[in-house]
Amino acid sequence: MAAPTNSQIAAALDELGDLYELDGASIHRIVAYRNGARAVREASVSVAALALAGSATELAGIGTTLQEKIVALTSTGTIPALEKLRGKFPPGLVELTKLPGLGPKRARRLYEELGVDSPQALRTAATEGRISTLKGFGARAERALLDAAGAYERTGPATRLLLSRALAAGEALVAAIMTLDGCEQALLAGSARRMTETVKDLDIVASAGDPGALAAAVAALPQVQESSTPGTHAVRIRTHSGLAVDVRIVTGDRFGDALQHLTGSKEHNVALRELSVRRGLHISEYGVLDERSGVTHRCASEAEVYALLGMGYIEPELREGRGEVEAALAGTLPELVRTTDLKGDLHCHTVASDGTASMREMAVAAAAAGYEYLVITDHSASMGFGADVCADELRAQIERARELDATLDGFRLLIGSEVNILPDGGLDYPDELLAELDWVVASVHTSFRMPAAAMTARIVAAIEHPSVDCIGHLSGRKILEREPYDFDLERVLEAAARTGTMLEINANPERRDLNEHHARAAAQAGIPLVINCDAHRPGGFEVARYGIATARRAWLTPAQIANTLPWPELAALRGRRGCA
Ligand code: DGT
Ligand code: CA
Ligand code: CA
Ligand code: ZN
């Protein structure tokens, strides 16, 4: 049996947390499972393998109990406690706990006192007026639950949205709010500001002299399909695109407090709060209260909030409770890489494979995006995808690229390939041809379902090939769509570090691969990373911001990203030159 992936283990631990909560277990136990799930999801090595070796307990958040459960899942495919709890409750009850307004305690009462065991049953009971007969529920709660159950049946469980989809709508909405009468400033907050891979909803913070009036104006925007009754400081809206948006509006003197709080993350805010308590300060969305003097300091900017707590400004992408508060206090936060630091892109496609434009059009677009160089890397031939580049075509493409480059003033067009890594670890072109290229990205595009050991050997073989400069989208995942394939990250990093092979952060917002955890581990191993757009059309260079976001969330500096260098310096870093 294949070992469970980290995300499968994390899902099982999360489900255990949910079921224990429904079962009325102690909060410590519930939190332990949730923290464990998070630690597993973020681990950069196979937690199943660690657990089998008895060393998963070295991960913060995994104790011996959780390790035993992971071993059971790995060796038998399931966890006895999970099976037992699943048998104890109807499956619809877990769904019920996820409805807004219904935690596990209240869901369980509905089940025990009214036999309500699913969102459908809840809707029936609410329509018949049975919910309001329960102590502590009332007519208002019944109406809200009726709406929530209806929404659940229409759109399914609360789903997360890819950041790029949410940002497109969110940035337009912020711009629209900025044009409203009385609006002084408006910014995205929450996970979108931290540039997480997916978001549950959007959060916007605005300031105005009369917040209530601005809330009413926001609710009346043409983008808004439905909204809560605007309050004096907030309104929750749903856009026509189906996006839920929390809009908070404060007076300008408190903008920094509100923005800091609503940017989160929750974990970051908890870390800040713990630190402030030790200093006799209480931080909340309303300001920083000095417990001794009883004075609440209001902050117009976030920088003031952090300064009051004795530290420098922390970039939103770092605010995840991963040691950034301690680093800010010690003054050791990294100087994060920016989009404008990128000098070139090393992975793109033209009509020769699955792109839409010519080499010249892609070069012009890259120059317009601010790059100094671009490597054309069309797909290699082997797998019968259709319009890919056979060896003779690649030879002709090399000639054409050289001619084209000579005509481009102040821009360097280079020629390479995105070569398939075949299941046996071989590459798609003869070695002499690969050696002629300026740059070779090697990627896995087929046979994803190999056992981890074979997949690891396959990737390591490509890394060890003297002409391979970089591995493309290492894990193969598609966010919200396809799990990464199974492989041993540690062995891959070891091989890359040993051979000087670079690893790509593919900036496509559906990929973001390396993910932020793997990117951080790779950089710590001393491996140069590159951020590539993998553009398939001239507009494709717009996604650089997502690769940069992943790099920033991985704490990376420009010095750790090789394509912040001019081409000649990057060329000198290529591993095969060192090996030759
Ligand atoms: P999301 O929406 O799941 O993608 O992630 P966020 O981080 O946007 O979460 P959201 O929308 O629930 O809340 C926005 C921010 O509000 C969050 O990042 C921090 C703050 N916040 C929300 N709930 C809590 C809480 O219970 N405690 C603390 N300290 N902060 C919270
Ligand atoms: Ca949010
Ligand atoms: Ca929210
Ligand atoms: Zn590609």
Side-chain angles (χ1 to χ4, degrees):
M1 185 180 5
T5 62
N6 288 356
S7 44
Q8 286 166 335
I9 295 171
L13 297 181
D14 267 333
E15 193 187 348
L16 264 171
D18 290 347
L19 288 166
Y20 274 125
E21 192 167 14
L22 209 46
D23 200 31
S26 82
I27 186 71
H28 296 293
R29 185 180 224 176
I30 299 159
V31 167
Y33 280 98
R34 301 249 156 91
N35 287 345
R38 183 175 180 223
V40 170
R41 196 168 282 121
E42 295 186 358
S44 54
V45 295
S46 162
V47 176
L50 281 184
L52 287 180
S55 48
T57 49
E58 287 169 22
L59 296 171
I62 307 287
T64 48
T65 310
L66 262 66
Q67 172 159 282
E68 278 168 31
K69 302 232 161 21
I70 296 167
V71 167
L73 183 65
T74 306
S75 48
T76 70
T78 189
I79 302 172
L82 190 56
E83 294 299 317
K84 199 167 140 230
L85 285 164
R86 275 179 183 158
K88 195 165 169 180
F89 301 108
L93 192 52
V94 175
E95 292 175 49
L96 264 191
T97 64
K98 305 212 157 103
L99 292 184
L102 266 196
K105 279 213 191 77
R106 281 159 69 83
R108 196 171 161 172
R109 281 193 55 213
L110 291 176
Y111 173 55
E112 284 173 352
E113 300 184 37
L114 297 174
V116 167
D117 60 2
S118 67
Q120 294 85 327
L122 173 68
R123 195 157 61 86
T124 308
T127 312
E128 294 169 0
R130 287 189 286 136
I131 308 283
S132 53
T133 64
L134 279 192
K135 209 171 142 220
F137 278 83
R140 241 177 93 166
E142 185 168 74
R143 261 197 316 276
L145 286 175
L146 184 59
D147 287 349
Y152 186 93
E153 288 187 76
R154 277 198 307 277
T155 61
T159 45
R160 296 186 69 82
L161 193 67
L162 202 63
L163 178 63
S164 51
R165 308 240 161 86
L167 270 189
E171 287 171 348
L173 194 60
V174 166
I177 292 174
M178 291 286 286
T179 67
L180 294 174
D181 264 358
C183 179
E184 296 159 358
Q185 41 192 340
L187 280 178
L188 278 172
S191 51
R193 183 161 179 244
R194 304 195 311 279
M195 298 290 282
T196 54
E197 295 167 353
T198 62
V199 305
K200 171 196 70 196
D201 65 2
L202 289 177
D203 304 271
I204 292 176
V205 180
S207 72
D210 181 351
L214 185 58
V218 168
L221 278 170
Q223 286 89 341
V224 175
Q225 186 192 34
E226 56 185 32
S227 86
S228 65
T229 312
T232 51
H233 282 95
V235 59
R236 185 167 171 85
I237 62 182
R238 186 173 290 277
T239 65
H240 290 292
S241 52
L243 203 60
V245 190
D246 273 327
V247 185
R248 192 70 58 101
I249 305 161
V250 296
T251 48
D253 58 331
R254 302 178 13 191
F255 185 72
D257 297 307
L259 182 61
Q260 193 292 313
H261 177 80
L262 284 163
T263 296
S265 66
K266 209 163 164 177
E267 290 76 11
H268 173 77
N269 287 354
V270 166
L272 271 190
R273 193 172 316 141
E274 281 172 2
L275 169 100
S276 4
V277 164
R278 277 183 262 136
R279 303 186 162 202
L281 301 168
H282 179 81
I283 176 169
S284 75
E285 65 180 298
Y286 306 108
V288 180
L289 168 71
D290 187 326
E291 308 263 4
R292 249 184 324 177
S293 65
V295 173
T296 297
H297 299 280
R298 297 220 162 133
C299 298
S301 75
E302 278 189 324
E304 289 171 57
V305 179
Y306 288 103
L308 270 177
L309 301 177
M311 62 186 86
Y313 179 75
I314 301 178
E315 300 280 1
E317 294 93 332
L318 294 181
R319 301 185 198 171
E320 294 293 343
R322 297 179 189 152
E324 70 280 4
V325 169
E326 293 79 356
L329 277 176
T332 56
L333 281 176
E335 193 69 41
L336 299 179
V337 64
R338 294 164 188 277
T339 313
T340 48
D341 292 325
L342 294 178
K343 291 205 166 59
D345 192 285
L346 308 155
H347 181 171
C348 80
H349 300 270
T350 72
V351 286
S353 62
D354 54 351
T356 66
S358 67
M359 285 199 280
R360 175 183 289 280
E361 287 164 328
M362 294 305 282
V364 167
Y371 290 122
E372 296 171 3
Y373 54 91
L374 175 69
V375 190
I376 302 292
T377 57
D378 277 306
H379 287 291
S380 62
S382 69
M383 307 312 284
F385 288 160
D388 298 335
V389 179
C390 70
D392 281 338
E393 284 174 66
L394 181 58
R395 288 187 187 97
Q397 206 187 20
I398 294 173
E399 300 262 311
R400 281 189 290 123
R402 299 286 176 237
E403 285 165 21
L404 177 56
D405 180 52
T407 70
L408 297 172
D409 228 13
F411 187 86
R412 195 76 199 270
L413 182 79
L414 299 144
I415 182 70
S417 172
E418 181 177 17
V419 58
N420 288 331
I421 307 175
L422 306 178
D424 67 359
L427 301 178
D428 229 3
Y429 290 121
D431 285 352
E432 324 81 72
L433 180 54
L434 288 172
E436 277 185 52
L437 297 168
D438 297 314
W439 176 261
V440 175
V441 188
S443 310
V444 169
H445 285 117
T446 54
S447 307
F448 294 153
R449 295 172 165 279
M450 291 169 68
M455 185 60 93
T456 305
R458 176 180 181 184
I459 297 169
V460 167
I463 287 175
E464 288 175 341
H465 190 287
S467 288
V468 170
D469 299 300
C470 178
I471 301 296
H473 44 71
L474 177 65
S475 85
R477 69 149 175 190
K478 291 252 179 94
I479 299 170
L480 298 174
E481 209 175 288
R482 183 169 80 204
E483 291 290 311
Y485 32 73
D486 264 338
F487 67 101
D488 182 337
L489 181 75
E490 231 170 347
R491 289 206 40 222
V492 166
L493 296 187
E494 179 280 320
R498 170 165 49 77
T499 57
T501 306
M502 302 185 202
L503 295 177
E504 168 185 87
I505 296 176
N506 190 292
N508 181 325
E510 288 176 32
R511 288 194 183 267
R512 294 178 74 171
D513 184 7
L514 310 174
N515 72 28
E516 62 209 44
H517 306 291
H518 294 178
R520 198 170 174 183
Q524 279 166 350
I527 299 162
L529 304 180
V530 297
I531 298 175
N532 288 331
C533 291
D534 197 354
H536 283 68
R537 54 188 180 84
F541 297 102
E542 286 165 8
V543 302
R545 66 188 297 200
Y546 298 101
I548 287 285
T550 289
R552 289 167 66 86
R553 291 176 57 80
W555 294 50
L556 302 186
T557 64
Q560 291 167 309
I561 309 293
N563 53 334
T564 62
L565 295 170
W567 171 253
E569 287 173 48
L570 170 55
L573 263 187
R574 288 171 300 176
R576 59 182 157 148
R577 302 287 185 259
C579 296

